[in-house]
Amino acid sequence: MPFTYVTPEDWSSVGSHPLGAWVADQRRYYAAGTLEASRVAELERLGMVWSVHASAWDAGLEVARSYATVHGHFLPAASVVWDGFPLGVWAKNQRRAARRTTENAARREAGETGASYAGELSTSRQEALAEVDPGWCPAWEIAWQRNYRLALAHVKAGGSLPAGAGELVVQGEDLGAWIAGQRVGWERLMPAQRYLLETLGIEPAAGGEAVGPVRRSQDERWATNVAAALQFHAREGHLRPARKHVEMIDVDGGAEGGQEAVKLGAWLDNTRKRAAKLSAERRAQLAGLGLECAAQEGSA
C-alpha cells in the first residue's frame, strides 16, 4: 500500500488510521532488527512483504523464467510485455546494471576510488538470471544473440538454414534476412560472433557473391514502435503524443548502440484506427501499453 494510505473513516475504531506510514515503520524496525519475533511472525501470517524492492525483482525473475520456458531463451526485445509485465524493459535494465557492475569492478581494480556501487547488480542476482539463460547478457546486441539462439535451436532440431529472406521466420525473426546480414557485414563482427556463426556453418560472403537484401520484418518494425511507445509513456505518463511527434530510441542491445527515429505519433494514430485488424497478441500488447479502448475495439 502507498505510504500516504489512511483507513476509511467508516472503519469503526480503526478509521482514519495512517496505515501506510505504520506499515513503513514496521519494515524499518524489521530492517534494523528491533521488531519482536512474535510480531514478525504475526505480520508474515498476514502476507507482509518486508522489502518492496526485492519483491518486485523476484516478480520479474519469475516472469523471466516463464518467458524462457516458452521461448527457449531470455532475450526479449525491449517492447515485450509477458504476463502483463514489461519484461523487455526489465531485462534491459538488468543488463545495464550488470554491465555497470563489470565496468565499476574494472575501475576499482585499476585503483579508482570514486566508483559508486549505486545501480549495480548483485552477484546473486546475476547468478539467478544466468540460471534462466547463461547468455542473457552478451557483449553484443541482444537482437543478434536472439537470432543466433533461434538459428541454433533450429539446426539442433534437424532443420536446415534458410538461403534467403522470408524462408524461415521464428518468433517474429526473419532468420534468412539475419543470416544474409551477417555474411555481408562479417568484418564488423566480433571474433566470438564469427566463431559462433561458423559453428552453424555460416561463412562470410565470397567476393562477388550476390547476397539478398536485408529487410526488416513486420514484427521487427512493430517491436520498434512498441519500444518507442513504452519509452514515451515512462517519461511523459501518457500516450497522447502529437501526430508529428518523433521519438528517439536506443538501438536494442549493447551500451554502444546508436539511436533510431520512430514516428510515434503517426504510428499510434494509425494503430488505433486499424485495431480491429490486429492479432490477439498485438491487441494484448496495446492493452499492456494502456490502450484499452483499442484493445476492446479489436476484440469486438
Side-chain angles (χ1 to χ4, degrees):
M1 66 183 66
F3 179 81
T4 56
Y5 179 79
V6 176
T7 59
E9 293 182 1
D10 58 0
W11 279 21
S12 185
S13 61
V14 294
S16 302
H17 180 70
L19 186 59
W22 182 85
V23 169
D25 286 340
Q26 307 317 302
R27 289 194 176 113
R28 181 161 50 83
Y29 301 149
Y30 176 83
T34 59
L35 191 62
E36 295 179 11
S38 60
R39 294 188 174 184
V40 171
E42 188 174 6
L43 288 171
E44 288 181 343
R45 283 196 295 270
L46 294 174
M48 180 69 163
V49 175
W50 296 113
S51 172
V52 176
H53 180 71
S55 177
W57 196 91
D58 289 342
L61 181 62
E62 285 303 309
V63 178
R65 288 170 176 152
S66 170
Y67 181 90
T69 298
V70 173
H71 293 82
H73 62 78
F74 179 50
L75 299 161
S79 60
V80 167
V81 176
W82 189 253
D83 288 342
F85 183 82
L87 184 63
V89 172
W90 185 84
K92 188 174 183 177
N93 290 339
Q94 307 315 308
R95 292 193 298 268
R96 182 184 296 115
R99 291 179 180 124
R100 178 177 297 171
T101 303
T102 300
E103 292 167 1
N104 285 350
R107 291 166 60 187
R108 297 185 190 106
E109 189 174 341
E112 186 174 335
T113 58
S116 171
Y117 286 90
E120 294 188 359
L121 192 64
S122 68
T123 300
S124 62
R125 291 187 174 184
Q126 291 190 53
E127 291 174 347
L129 288 169
E131 289 179 3
V132 176
D133 182 346
W136 75 279
C137 187
W140 40 77
E141 291 185 0
I142 295 303
W144 191 97
Q145 184 77 353
R146 182 167 55 250
N147 277 275
Y148 164 73
R149 291 285 294 281
L150 294 174
L152 175 63
H154 179 71
V155 170
K156 283 186 173 182
S160 57
L161 293 177
E167 292 185 14
L168 178 62
V169 178
V170 182
Q171 296 180 20
E173 302 289 354
D174 188 335
L175 297 185
W178 177 75
I179 290 172
Q182 306 316 302
R183 299 188 66 208
V184 171
W186 193 269
E187 296 304 318
R188 295 192 295 272
L189 298 173
M190 295 182 183
Q193 290 175 296
R194 297 177 194 170
Y195 170 77
L196 292 174
L197 292 174
E198 288 171 346
T199 62
L200 291 177
I202 300 173
E203 300 177 345
E209 180 183 359
V211 179
V214 179
R215 301 193 301 268
R216 296 182 71 186
S217 69
Q218 290 184 356
D219 285 323
E220 288 176 315
R221 292 194 295 271
W222 173 270
T224 298
N225 284 313
V226 171
L230 284 168
Q231 177 176 288
F232 181 90
H233 187 276
R235 184 181 68 249
E236 305 295 338
H238 64 83
L239 269 179
R240 300 183 299 277
R243 168 78 184 184
K244 295 184 179 181
H245 176 75
V246 175
E247 185 77 7
M248 300 299 298
I249 67 170
D250 293 335
V251 175
D252 184 30
E256 301 301 324
Q259 288 196 318
E260 179 176 349
V262 178
K263 296 180 180 179
L264 181 61
W267 179 76
L268 284 172
D269 190 34
N270 294 335
T271 299
R272 289 188 180 98
K273 292 177 180 177
R274 61 186 181 89
K277 299 180 180 179
L278 297 175
S279 66
E281 180 181 357
R282 289 189 174 180
R283 291 199 299 270
Q285 281 191 303
L286 293 181
L289 290 171
L291 299 180
E292 290 84 358
C293 291
Q296 292 169 2
E297 178 186 349
S299 59

